């Protein structure tokens, strides 16, 4: 659980305390203002996001970003970024009737020019590159689902007495099974399989969500699992592991490039 807090005041000396509690493994977030809860929720697949809320007349936004290894939190109130050491913000603006002036024809033409130019250029290259990298990351993360799923199938085959199995599955759970049976007895060997299957499924969730450490941890574990095939002479397993690792490493590289690639080349005025 990560906790971040900002203490600041406005020109009328009213004090504010904004706090976020972020369960980084489950994605659950809880935001409070002066002890009053203004948001509670989140999704397991989230790695970042932005939450808007009212701060006694001020417009506030709390942004959560991810570098792949760690999260960063930014509080923006009325367009001003609040530093960790606190600040004094202007008093909230009073509501006043705004005069609506219709845009003249030249103004409309000027405003439409960037849109027309963008349509004339066709699809935005930066947006296409961003979407392609995102697709590679998601596809690479799904390999951990396949590893977990086929490892579970292999264990079921073993339980029913079959000698068949999928080479994409893991061997490390069988090694751990021997250790668990030595420590706790043969009836507890299944725990090793559940732990390994659950671990790779969890890594799949985090990897498809764009978490870099999940790719690194999962890739290292699966590479070590491939080394076990060297000792048992499972050349098909070695080849399949190498193919999966190639996709996982490629997705990791795409994720690093994704963090440095703008979502679009269109600029706001």
């Amino acid at each position: 659980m990560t906790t971040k807090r900002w203490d600041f005041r406005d020109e009328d000396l009213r004090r504010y305390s904004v706090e976020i509690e972020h369960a980084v493994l489950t994605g659950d977030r809880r935001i409070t203002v002066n002890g009053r809860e203004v948001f509670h929720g989140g999704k397991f697949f989230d790695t970042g996001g932005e939450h808007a809320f009212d701060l006694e007349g001020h417009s506030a936004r709390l942004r959560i970003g991810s570098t792949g290894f760690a999260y960063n939190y930014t509080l923006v109130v009325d367009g001003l970024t609040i530093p960790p050491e606190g600040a004094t913000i202007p008093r909230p603006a009073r509501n006043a009737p705004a005069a609506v002036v219709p845009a003249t024809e030249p103004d409309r033409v000027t405003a439409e020019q960037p849109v027309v130019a963008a349509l004339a250029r066709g699809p935005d290259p930066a947006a296409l590159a961003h979407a392609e990298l995102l697709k590679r990351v998601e596809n690479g993360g799904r390999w951990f689902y396949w590893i977990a799923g086929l490892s579970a199938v292999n264990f079921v085959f073993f339980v029913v007495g079959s000698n068949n199995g999928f080479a994409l599955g893991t061997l490390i759970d069988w090694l751990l099974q021997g250790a668990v049976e030595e420590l706790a007895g043969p009836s507890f060997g299944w725990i090793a399989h559940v732990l390994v299957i659950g671990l790779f499924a969890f890594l799949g969730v985090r990897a498809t969500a764009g978490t870099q450490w999940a790719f690194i941890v999962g890739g290292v574990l699966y590479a070590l699992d491939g080394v076990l095939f060297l000792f048992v002479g499972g050349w098909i397993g070695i080849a399949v592991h190498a193919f999966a690792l190639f996709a996982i490493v490629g997705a990791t590289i795409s994720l690093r490039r994704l963090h440095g690639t703008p979502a679009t080349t269109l600029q706001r005025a």
Side-chain angles (χ1 to χ4, degrees):
M1 177 74 72
T2 300
T3 302
K4 181 77 173 178
R5 178 172 173 170
W6 295 264
D7 293 306
F8 54 98
R9 64 183 184 179
D10 63 15
E11 292 179 339
D12 294 326
L13 301 183
R14 290 186 296 182
R15 295 187 176 274
Y16 305 94
S17 178
V18 178
E19 183 175 294
I20 179 172
E21 297 175 351
H22 185 196
V24 296
L25 293 181
T26 64
D28 186 66
R29 298 101 181 259
R30 180 174 181 266
I31 301 175
T32 59
V33 175
N34 295 338
R36 176 177 57 89
E37 184 177 282
V38 296
F39 177 83
H40 190 191
K43 296 181 180 179
F44 192 63
F45 296 91
D46 286 352
T47 57
E50 182 174 287
H51 303 285
F53 52 94
D54 179 72
L55 194 66
E56 298 184 15
H58 299 278
S59 174
R61 291 181 178 274
L62 203 160
R63 296 167 182 161
I64 304 174
S66 172
T67 63
F69 290 99
Y71 291 89
N72 52 75
Y73 308 88
T74 305
L75 177 64
V76 179
V77 179
D78 293 339
L80 302 175
T81 301
I82 306 299
E85 62 272 14
T88 299
I89 61 175
R91 61 176 58 90
R94 299 177 184 218
N95 294 328
V100 179
V101 180
T104 61
E105 187 64 28
D107 291 337
R108 284 200 297 269
V109 172
T110 302
E112 292 171 357
Q113 284 178 353
V115 178
V116 174
L119 293 174
R121 288 196 301 266
D124 181 30
L128 293 176
H130 188 274
E132 179 63 26
L133 290 173
L134 188 60
K135 182 179 178 181
R136 292 179 187 175
V137 170
E138 292 176 347
N139 289 339
R142 291 191 183 103
W143 276 97
F144 294 119
Y145 290 136
W146 282 103
I147 294 168
L150 294 181
S151 296
V153 172
N154 288 347
F155 180 62
V156 172
F157 283 163
F158 170 76
V159 171
V160 300
S162 174
N163 293 325
N164 297 320
F166 292 95
L168 188 63
T170 57
L171 278 182
I172 194 171
D173 47 343
W174 301 97
L175 181 66
L176 291 177
Q177 176 185 343
V180 171
E181 291 178 348
E182 285 289 331
L183 294 174
S187 59
F188 294 94
W190 59 270
I191 296 177
H193 297 276
V194 172
L195 289 176
V196 172
I197 293 169
L199 174 61
F200 276 99
F202 173 73
L203 290 173
V205 171
R206 303 314 300 166
T208 53
T211 306
Q212 191 168 348
W213 64 261
F215 279 104
I216 294 175
V217 172
V220 170
L221 287 177
Y222 200 59
L224 293 175
D225 190 80
V227 173
L228 296 179
F229 276 91
L230 291 174
F231 294 100
V232 300
W235 299 110
I236 295 179
I238 294 173
V240 172
H241 274 56
F243 183 81
L245 284 171
F246 178 80
I248 292 171
V249 171
T252 308
I253 296 173
S254 296
L255 180 59
R256 293 180 62 88
R257 292 176 57 192
L258 185 64
H259 289 154
T261 302
T264 177
T265 56
L266 298 179
Q267 302 294 328
R268 291 185 178 182

